Amino acid sequence: MTDAGAATGDRRRGDVSVTRIAQLAGVSVPTVSKVLNGRAGVADSTRQRVEEVIRENGYRRPEAAGPTPVVEVLFPSLDTPWALEILRGLTEVANPRGLAVAVTEMQGRTVPPRAWAQDVLARRPVGVIAITARLTAGQQAQLASRRMPLVALDPTGDPQHETPSVGAMNWNGGLAAARHLLELGHRRIAVLTGPADLLCCRARLDGFRAGLDAAGVEADPTLVRAGELIADEGVRVARELLALPDPPTAIFAGNDLQAFGVYAAAHAAGVRIPADLSVVGFDDLSVAQWSVPALTTVRQPLLRMGATAMELLLTLAAGREPTSDRIELPTVLIPRASTAPPGHSAAPGAAARDSAST
């Protein structure tokens, strides 16, 4: 297509042409092409100037040759069973369709490196799934200007309507955990939540507080602690809580890994689970049923979440409108042997039998 033809098509879309972008940025058309396709050979300052012009003028690249049969997936880290279960769900949908899954691990960070979007554009994938990641406004604009489908799974902040997202009913999960512990008779309950900037953790905490409030139980703010969603943080916070003059009789952890850390701290302090302390986790990782005692936890359908995110992305890549911009999958409490009434003293071997029966 000639530049004139491209410009006409762009005007029909309400966009500007590549030629006009080059004029406004004071660069050549080939330079704009390199930026649009994420290719090297452009100075950072020039690339940034072109991206600003693209963003300010609402440019959208015309439909071009088909993408590479790859889906880009952005993970904060891959060193947890949580991440691997979601990855299984992604690949179960992608692989039968002849699609590979390319993973970028951010080594614990939530914001991808500055050059990440440029590298993705150069690979021309079918689309991008960002898992508990926070893309910058510039990165989102880069993907949008190239018509790159984007889906968020467990977004860190409030789901944005322009970015379709998948998550779990975390609020309901927190509510179920509170009701379970209250029904057992616990009133002095601690909550170990995750980082405040994670929407899922805030929702779990809010749901738990709602459960206490509905039962007329006042939440003790001194028993609410925050930490990273790793076992080490469970150990650290549980040590602090168990050292209190009036320690809690139950702890609701932000995820199963934190709960396992609570197990370790309790064991070191000579505190028995569940005789002296009840523990509830969140996720229902495969190892939860094999811990000793077996962990009571809130199950979120991690494999299904991954599969749903992939299906949503492929719907967008096919040019179809999704039925919903926000999909929340149900959570359910799985009671096991780590919870009991306060002061409960199980008969010898009872915990082991309870574990075996789950």
Side-chain angles (χ1 to χ4, degrees):
M1 180 182 291
T2 64
D3 286 341
T8 301
D10 287 338
R11 283 194 294 272
R12 283 198 295 268
R13 292 190 304 275
D15 295 339
V16 295
S17 68
V18 171
T19 301
R20 184 57 177 157
I21 293 293
Q23 292 171 346
L24 293 172
V27 299
S28 67
V29 170
T31 296
V32 175
S33 178
K34 286 181 179 180
V35 173
L36 287 172
N37 291 289
R39 294 201 298 267
V42 180
D44 287 345
S45 59
T46 301
R47 189 182 300 276
Q48 183 176 352
R49 185 165 72 252
V50 173
E51 290 288 358
E52 288 174 356
V53 173
I54 290 172
R55 184 165 58 251
E56 290 169 359
N57 288 272
Y59 174 83
R60 292 293 184 273
R61 183 166 58 185
E63 298 294 339
T68 305
V70 171
V71 174
E72 291 276 343
V73 178
L74 192 61
F75 268 105
S77 63
L78 284 171
D79 59 353
T80 66
W82 179 91
L84 296 178
E85 191 71 4
I86 287 179
L87 187 57
R88 280 184 57 211
L90 294 170
T91 56
E92 282 191 4
V93 173
N95 291 351
R97 291 168 171 79
L99 297 172
V101 175
V103 176
T104 297
E105 185 180 19
M106 296 185 293
Q107 299 179 339
R109 297 187 298 269
T110 57
V111 179
R114 181 176 176 181
W116 168 79
Q118 174 187 335
D119 295 339
V120 169
L121 296 175
R123 292 191 287 269
R124 294 173 47 247
V126 169
V128 175
I129 297 176
I131 300 172
T132 60
R134 189 190 302 275
L135 273 62
T136 67
Q139 289 168 337
Q140 291 186 54
Q142 282 180 275
L143 297 180
S145 68
R146 279 67 160 189
R147 302 181 184 275
M148 182 72 66
L150 170 65
V151 169
L153 195 157
D154 254 359
T156 55
D158 295 331
Q160 302 176 9
H161 292 298
E162 63 269 22
T163 303
S165 62
V166 175
M169 294 181 179
N170 292 289
W171 192 92
N172 288 355
L175 177 66
R179 286 176 172 171
H180 175 68
L181 291 172
L182 290 169
E183 288 170 359
L184 288 173
H186 294 278
R187 295 297 180 267
R188 188 161 173 77
I189 307 171
V191 181
L192 171 50
T193 186
D197 64 342
L198 289 183
L199 176 67
C200 60
C201 294
R202 296 203 307 270
R204 292 169 195 176
L205 178 59
D206 289 344
F208 193 87
R209 284 171 166 164
L212 296 183
D213 184 65
V217 176
E218 185 175 353
D220 185 345
T222 66
L223 295 182
V224 178
R225 309 293 175 93
E228 297 296 323
L229 296 171
I230 57 176
D232 286 349
E233 289 291 82
V235 172
R236 178 184 66 81
V237 174
R239 282 174 178 166
E240 297 173 359
L241 292 169
L242 295 175
L244 293 173
D246 185 13
T249 63
I251 296 178
F252 172 44
N255 70 350
D256 288 353
L257 295 182
Q258 285 185 341
F260 296 146
V262 173
Y263 271 40
H267 178 75
V271 173
R272 300 167 299 167
I273 299 174
D276 306 316
L277 177 71
S278 286
V279 181
V280 178
F282 204 107
D283 282 340
D284 194 27
L285 301 177
S286 59
V287 295
Q289 62 181 314
W290 304 115
S291 58
V292 181
L295 178 64
T296 295
T297 186
V298 177
R299 175 183 294 163
Q300 59 172 336
L302 299 175
L303 189 145
R304 188 178 164 201
M305 287 165 65
T308 301
M310 183 63 71
E311 290 167 351
L312 180 56
L313 181 78
L314 297 181
T315 295
L316 296 171
R320 301 193 302 271
E321 286 292 324
T323 56
S324 175
D325 286 334
R326 173 65 179 172
I327 300 173
E328 289 195 347
L329 301 177
T331 54
V332 60
L333 181 85
I334 307 297
R336 295 194 180 104
S338 68
T339 50
H344 170 78
S345 181
R353 289 195 300 273
D354 287 344
S355 299
S357 66
T358 58

